[in-house]
Structure formats: C-alpha cells, structure tokens
C-alpha cells in the first residue's frame, strides 16, 4: 500500500487526472449548496452576454448564468454517470465472478449474452426506452448501465478465472472452503484493483454517452441543467454566441480527460506486473 | 478451418436471432399502442380495432415475431407508420448517407492514426511520442458532436468554406456530396483516431523488437523500410481489431453527428422515428445497426483467422 502511494507520487498522469477529477467533484458538490446565480433563473434583458461582461462566463439565450449552469450540470452529469457505472459494474461483476465459479453452460450463456448486449449501442437502446417511457435520468442510467454490464462481466470473468488457477486457491479448495467463500475471500480482493481501474475509465465513457443522450433530448429533463442539452441549445446561436457551444464541450472533455488519465495512472500503479 | 468457419457462422446466426427477438420483445412489451399513436386520441374504438387488425397487432407475440422475422428475411421490413412507405426503402435511402459517412470517417481516422502511431513508436519516449500521446488523450475525451459544432463555427460560420449542414444528395454530384460529408466525417473520425493511434503505437512497439524486424535491419534495410515493410503489416492486426470493436461507437457517434449536421442518414431516421413514435422504423433501424455491429465483429474474427495461422490451430 505504501509502495503504491509512493509510486503514485511519481506518476504525473495519475496526479493530473486526480487533480482534474477532484476539482470536478468539488465543483459538482459545491453546486448543491452554492452557485453564483440560481442556475434556472432567467434574466431575458441580459441574454447572450459574452463571458466577463455579465457573470464569469456570460449568459445563455434565456439570460441564465452559464457558470452556474455548468456547475449544476457537473453534478447532474457526474451523478447520472456514476449511477450508470455502479449499475453496470455491480451486475457485470456479479455475473463475472459467479460464472468463473460455476463455468460450464453458464459461461457460454453469459459470454453470448455479452455479445448481444454489446451489439446495441447505448444511444439506440436509450432511444428504444425513450420511445415508451420518455427521456430522463432513469432512461439514461438504464441504457448506459446495461451497456456497461458486458464490459465488467468480461473483465471480471477473465480476471477471476486466472485467480482460480492460483496455488492459494487450490490450497483453499484443499482445506474444504466453499466456492462462495473462496470467491469472497480470494477472488474478489485479487481482482478489485482491475475493477477500480475499469470503473474510472467507464465513468469517462458514461459522461460522454450521457452528454450525447442529453444532446438528443433523451437525458435529464429540463429545466435541470445538463452539459449535453446546453450544447443542443447552443446550436441555434453558433454565429451569435459561440462561447455557449465552447464551454459545455470543454467541461465534458475536461471531465473525461481527467477520468481517463486517472484510470490509466491507477492501472500503472496497481498493475501487479509493475510491482518490482 | 472449415469446421471453425461453420461454428462461427452458426454462432453468428444464433446471436442475430436472439438480438432480433430481444429487440422485438422489448419494443412490444413496453407500453404504448402503435395503432393508438397513429390515430391520435380522438379515434373511435372501432377504427382502433380495425387498424390493430390491419397491422396484425391483435395476433399473439410469437406469431407477430415470426411474421416480422419472415418479412425481414425476405427484405420486407414492413411499412413506416408515419411515412406510409416501406421501411426497407427508407433504410436504403438513408444508408446512402450514413455508409459513405462512416467509411470516410474510418479512412480519415486510419490515415491519421497509423502514421502517427508508427512514428510515435519509432521515437518512443521522445517529444514526438509525447505530442502523439497528448493528441490521443484529448481526442478520446472530446465528444464527436461537440467537435462537429466547433467545426461548424470555424469552417462554416467564420470562414464560410464548407456547408454547416444538410445534404444535397448524390444526384447533385460527387463533390457537393463529399463536401457536405467532410466536416461530419472529421468530427466522427477524431475520437476514433485517438484510440487507433494508441493501439498502433503499442502494436508497433511490440513487434519492433521481434526477431524478424531485427533480421530485416541486419540484412541492411533502412530503418524506415524495416518498420514500414516488416513491422507495420504485423502491427496492423490489433489496429484492424480495434477498428471492428470501435464500430459500435462509430455508429453511436453517427447518430449524434448526423443530428448536428442535419444529415438525412440512418441515425437521424432513428431519431425522427423516435420523435414520431414510429415503432416499425425504430425496430428495423435498431436491428439493422445491431446486425451491422454483430457482422462486423464476425468479420474481424474471420480476418483474424485468415491473417494469423496460429489462431486457426488454437481455435480448435
């Protein structure tokens, strides 16, 4: 553990990713208690003001403060993505470790199932869902989360299968431990670092997908601010107010960049092949 | 080899069948009656029942699925509820936009990523490698539809060089068509290029120290020839694989980018079908996209077997 922390200090990738992610998280949490203006407050007289002329980052077509919208959007985007990844990671990991424990026909079914889920891009499954229950946070979480299940199922299955071949597992079987107990005591702890890395990277992907869904109007319902919808609304004012299209995109890119760097950095640090 | 091929093909067919059943059932189980949607709220119960009968909606689910599947297999995808025309015609018409867009994006991304990845591997840990690394990090993180918006601001609004959206149709000529697809393709290609650069760099680094590359150098070939003639072809396998795996994301990106640029492609068709609750079109477009992804992965698998004889032995 201490060696890992020491290694972390020497990885610029990890550190930059961590700083960006913490900053983002900080802004998102801050938006729950404070934003410069109430994000939904319209001020038509001051609409489409460029950055610094009204508020820090200007105003949109309703005269809403862009900085406040971005802050509140950070919370909405992060929380939706987090719930989606939590859904995908928990169901996927459960499927993966149980399959590694049982193998046989279950493995065939789970792997085929993964292929099938993977064949429907989340944007399309969200559209199918939205056709009936409408867009919204729930639709986005289910569509993104379901798509992430195969990612985690495949990862944990192959990682868990490796653990099952280890000597200490054979020893545990020898002393009569149940498969469930071995999975809990040996398999899960040994694959947890890979799961953590994957969660970080998938969070980035979830933010991108959530932004796409909101852009199409399938994400969070208005007036709750979201980065994707801000971009969709900015489309009408590209010539007049290009900053409206610039800022939310920058926020998305920065968030994804930070999470990807953090994930890659974590992988470098936690990778057992790298521990000498 | 033949037995592997047969096994893979059977698995492909089963996967396609299950996906089609899944899509059909999901669309069916979710609340909402297509007939009621088509007729609106003011329709009388008799009219509603008549339309339900006409659309076959009064039949049980398995019968409807088999009828739909039978139609799909014969190229009859049913009628669009809102356009009143065959869905197959609609899909073909829209494919004439989406397919060139996807191909153009793929070509662009490979054209950028492979040279960049190879050069980064040749000068790895140098400044060029660092720049390529930053490029791939940033391009993976930016949403394609946002890049589309930025390109419109730069090349349409400010410079006025390229159209901001719309598609003149291929009847207007090759160049106007390509011109309309250029910015969307660049937007779509950028995230792909980032992923591929990474894969190409890692793959070239992997093979650069292999014996056959050392032999190529030892027999006096220049570094460039040794790399491009011997290392790169071998490094292409992971790149091709990634291209196949990224296909899902290319399609997802196309749905968004077509909406940004107002292109009458398949993605936009799916989106319009959604806003109009045209379930027949939704079903078929989702099935079409999914089948495309499945077949693409199947082809990558086959390409694998064709390229690497070791896998043929291993796949038994």
């Amino acid at each position: 553990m201490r060696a890992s922390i020491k290694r972390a200090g020497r990885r610029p990738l990890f550190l930059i990713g961590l700083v960006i992610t913490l900053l983002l998280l900080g802004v998102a949490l801050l938006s729950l208690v404070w934003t410069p203006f109430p994000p939904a407050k319209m001020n038509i007289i001051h609409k489409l003001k460029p950055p610094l002329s009204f508020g820090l980052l200007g105003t949109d077509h309703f005269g809403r403060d862009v900085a406040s919208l971005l802050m509140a959007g950070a919370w909405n985007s992060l929380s939706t993505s987090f719930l989606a990844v939590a859904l995908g990671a928990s169901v996927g990991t459960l499927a993966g470790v149980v399959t590694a424990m049982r193998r046989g026909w279950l493995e065939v079914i789970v792997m085929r199932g993964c292929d099938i889920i993977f064949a429907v891009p989340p944007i399309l499954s969200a559209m199918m869902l939205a056709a009936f229950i409408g867009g919204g946070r729930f639709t986005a979480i289910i569509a993104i989360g379901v798509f992430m299940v195969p990612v985690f199922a495949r990862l944990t299955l192959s990682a868990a299968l490796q653990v099952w071949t280890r000597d200490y597992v054979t020893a545990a079987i020898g002393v009569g431990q149940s498969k469930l107990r071995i999975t809990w005591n040996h398999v899960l702890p040994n694959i947890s670092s890979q799961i953590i890395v994957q969660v970080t990277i998938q969070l980035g992907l979830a933010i991108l997908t959530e932004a796409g869904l909101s852009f199409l109007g399938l994400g969070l319902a208005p007036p709750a601010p979201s980065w994707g919808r801000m971009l969709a609304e900015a489309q009408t004012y590209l010539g007049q107010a290009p900053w409206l299209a610039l800022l939310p995109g920058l926020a998305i890119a920065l968030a994804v960049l930070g999470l990807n760097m953090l994930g890659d950095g974590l992988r470098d640090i936690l990778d057992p092949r790298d521990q000498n | 080899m033949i037995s592997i091929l047969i096994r893979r093909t059977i698995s492909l067919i089963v996967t396609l069948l299950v996906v089609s059943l899944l899509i059909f059932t999901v669309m069916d189980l979710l609340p909402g009656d297509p007939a009621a949607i088509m007729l609106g709220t003011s329709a009388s119960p008799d009219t509603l029942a008549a339309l339900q009968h006409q659309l076959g909606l009064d039949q049980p689910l398995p019968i409807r699925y088999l009828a739909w599947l039978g139609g799909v297999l014969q190229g009859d995808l049913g009628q669009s509820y809102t356009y009143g025309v065959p869905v197959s015609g609609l899909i073909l018409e829209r494919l004439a936009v989406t397919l060139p867009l996807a191909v153009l994006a793929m070509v662009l991304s490979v054209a950028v990523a492979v040279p960049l990845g190879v050069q980064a591997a040749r000068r790895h840990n140098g400044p060029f490698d660092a720049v390529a690394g930053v490029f791939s990090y940033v391009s993976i993180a930016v949403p394609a539809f946002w890049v589309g918006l930025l390109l419109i601001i730069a090349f349409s609004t400010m410079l006025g060089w390229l159209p901001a959206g719309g598609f003149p149709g291929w009847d207007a000529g090759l160049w106007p068509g390509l011109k309309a697809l250029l910015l969307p393709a660049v937007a779509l290609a950028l995230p792909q290029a980032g992923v591929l650069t990474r894969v190409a760099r890692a793959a070239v680094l992997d093979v650069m120290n292999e014996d056959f590359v050392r032999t190529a150098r030892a027999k006096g070939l220049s570094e460039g020839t040794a790399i491009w003639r011997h290392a790169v072809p071998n490094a292409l396998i992971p790149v091709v694989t990634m291209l196949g795996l990224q296909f899902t994301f290319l399609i997802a990106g196309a749905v968004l980018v077509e909406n940004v640029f107002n292109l009458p492609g398949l993605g936009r068709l799916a989106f319009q079908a959604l806003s109009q609750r045209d379930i027949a079109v939704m079903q078929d477009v989702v099935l079409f996209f999914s089948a495309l992804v499945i077949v693409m992965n199947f082809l990558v698998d086959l390409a694998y077997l064709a390229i690497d004889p070791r896998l043929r032995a291993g796949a038994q």
Side-chain angles (χ1 to χ4, degrees), chain A residues 13 112 116 119-120 123-124 127-128 131-132 208 212 215-216 218 231 235 238-239 245-246 249-250 252-253 257 264, chain B residues 11 18-19 27 30-31 137 141 143 145-146 149-150 152 157 198 255-256 259-260 271 274 277 286 289-290 294:
Chain A
L13 198 67
R112 286 298 122 215
I116 288 162
V120 186
I123 226 135
L124 290 179
M127 278 186 177
M128 290 198 330
F132 297 95
L208 273 180
F215 182 76
L216 290 178
L218 304 176
L231 282 175
Q235 238 186 319
L238 286 185
L246 198 68
L250 268 180
I252 298 166
L257 188 69
D264 285 356
Chain B
S11 147
V18 175
V19 167
M27 298 298 275
L30 290 165
Y137 258 112
F145 61 94
W146 181 54
L149 290 178
L150 295 187
I152 292 176
T157 317
R198 248 189 209 191
V255 174
L256 288 161
N259 273 294
V260 171
F271 185 65
L274 165 70
R277 311 246 149 179
V286 174
F289 272 139
S290 308
I294 295 167

Side-chain angles (χ1 to χ4, degrees), chain B residues 26-47:
Chain B
V26 167
M27 298 298 275
D28 194 84
L29 285 183
L30 290 165
D33 177 4
I37 291 163
M38 283 169 79
L39 291 173
T41 42
S42 54
S44 74
D46 288 344
T47 332

Side-chain angles (χ1 to χ4, degrees), chain A residues 86-124:
Chain A
L87 172 71
S90 48
V91 176
T93 303
L94 188 70
V97 292
V98 169
T99 308
M101 198 166 84
R102 298 256 155 184
R103 304 212 62 179
W105 54 266
L106 188 64
E107 192 175 340
V108 179
I109 292 179
V110 167
M111 291 313 276
R112 286 298 122 215
C114 286
D115 288 351
I116 288 162
I117 296 176
F118 223 61
V120 186
I123 226 135
L124 290 179

Side-chain angles (χ1 to χ4, degrees), chain B residues 67-222:
Chain B
W68 177 64
L69 189 69
V72 168
L73 290 177
Q74 292 165 27
D76 172 18
L77 300 175
Q79 294 270 324
S80 156
Y81 297 156
T82 44
Y83 296 97
V85 294
V87 182
S88 52
L90 270 180
I91 289 187
L92 276 181
E93 193 186 297
R94 303 301 185 99
L95 199 60
V97 178
T98 302
L99 194 67
L101 173 66
V103 171
L104 197 60
M106 272 185 157
V107 170
L108 279 174
S109 63
V110 172
V112 171
V114 171
L116 204 60
V118 171
Q119 290 304 325
R122 281 180 70 176
R123 300 166 197 185
H124 76 112
N125 291 338
F128 187 88
D129 190 16
V131 172
V134 170
F135 165 77
S136 56
Y137 258 112
V138 171
S139 54
I140 290 170
V142 294
F145 61 94
W146 181 54
V147 177
L149 290 178
L150 295 187
L151 289 173
I152 292 176
I153 294 177
F155 291 96
S156 307
T157 317
M158 288 166 78
L159 295 169
W161 289 352
L162 289 162
F167 188 72
W170 293 111
D171 298 336
L174 187 65
W175 177 234
L178 278 180
K179 231 166 106 175
L181 292 185
L182 192 60
L183 290 184
V186 170
L188 206 48
L190 193 68
Q192 303 286 325
V195 178
L196 290 179
T197 303
R198 248 189 209 191
V199 176
R201 176 186 176 274
V204 172
L205 267 183
D206 256 6
V207 291
M208 235 164 53
N209 298 317
E210 295 269 347
D211 287 344
F212 61 88
V213 179
R214 203 179 320 142
T215 311
R217 286 199 199 100
K219 72 179 184 188
L221 291 182
S222 70

Side-chain angles (χ1 to χ4, degrees), chain A residues 6-54:
Chain A
K6 235 176 163 178
R7 265 203 305 279
R10 289 197 303 266
R11 307 271 173 176
L13 198 67
F14 171 80
L15 287 177
I16 299 171
L18 186 69
V19 168
I20 296 177
T21 308
L22 286 180
L23 215 67
L24 185 75
L25 200 64
V27 168
L29 289 174
L30 180 65
S31 80
L32 292 178
V33 289
W34 179 83
T35 48
F37 295 89
K41 187 171 181 259
M42 298 186 199
N43 193 350
I44 299 287
I45 312 166
H46 294 290
K47 68 173 183 180
L48 298 177
K49 289 272 191 253
L52 295 176
S53 73
F54 192 92

